[in-house]
Amino acid sequence: MVDTLFGGAAADAGKPTWCEKTPFNLLCMDFLWELVPEATIVHIKRHPVSVLASHLAQPWAPSTVDGALAYLKPIYHRWLTWKNTVDLTGRRYIEVKAEDLAADWPGQRRALFERLDVDDFATPSTFQSHRLTNRSHQFDGETRKFVEEALGTVIPAMGYE
């Protein structure tokens, strides 16, 4: 199925594989593995407060903190509920923090590619710390505290403190 959908695009780009990066794919991983059993799913996660801040800048997302929370909380809840009910050991699933990738892109890239069992090579795209933190000061202290409290169970469940 993936070869049918993306094989041509990968070949046109001179690449042996294709990465499809739709975040909502996390909500249908079992279906994706059913379609493509050899697929490896790489979940590059980002601090939920940063995700919310990024959503506020998107024309397709809610434009208020309350609206973005109302949009994101059910998605996080659905993902975490599913993840807590399945055994991902032995599955082709890798989870990594975007912030870790940005802190040391060459080293983290090598480690990720090794886990994927693909050759390491310099990529034109990188994870850059300034791009992940450019909205860090978007919220005043009171708003940030409100967002962190609203996402209280999500933040530690995603591996953030």
Side-chain angles (χ1 to χ4, degrees), residues 68-85:
L69 282 168
Y71 174 77
L72 288 170
K73 283 177 68 173
I75 296 167
Y76 279 124
H77 176 73
R78 182 173 170 198
W79 160 245
L80 292 168
T81 299
W82 178 83
K83 186 180 178 199
N84 290 330
T85 62

Side-chain angles (χ1 to χ4, degrees), residues 18-51:
W18 183 266
C19 288
E20 206 293 310
K21 62 175 198 164
T22 304
F24 282 106
N25 285 344
L26 285 175
L27 302 176
C28 57
M29 288 177 14
D30 282 331
F31 176 68
L32 293 172
W33 279 317
E34 186 178 316
L35 287 176
V36 188
E38 70 280 5
T40 299
I41 296 172
V42 178
H43 177 194
I44 300 174
K45 61 186 180 178
R46 188 172 176 195
H47 194 287
V49 174
S50 296
V51 171

Side-chain angles (χ1 to χ4, degrees), residues 121-140:
F121 58 92
T123 58
S125 298
T126 63
F127 281 80
Q128 300 167 343
S129 294
H130 73 276
R131 295 191 55 122
L132 290 177
T133 60
N134 65 341
R135 290 188 172 85
S136 291
H137 304 292
Q138 179 171 336
F139 301 128
D140 61 43

Side-chain angles (χ1 to χ4, degrees), residues 3-5 41 51-53 56-57 72 82 95 102 113 119 138 145 147-148 151 159-160:
D3 283 339
T4 305
L5 292 174
I41 296 172
V51 171
L52 186 134
L56 293 176
L72 288 170
W82 178 83
E95 192 172 279
F113 285 13
D119 293 334
Q138 179 171 336
K145 182 178 178 186
V147 170
E148 288 174 346
L151 295 172
Y160 290 93

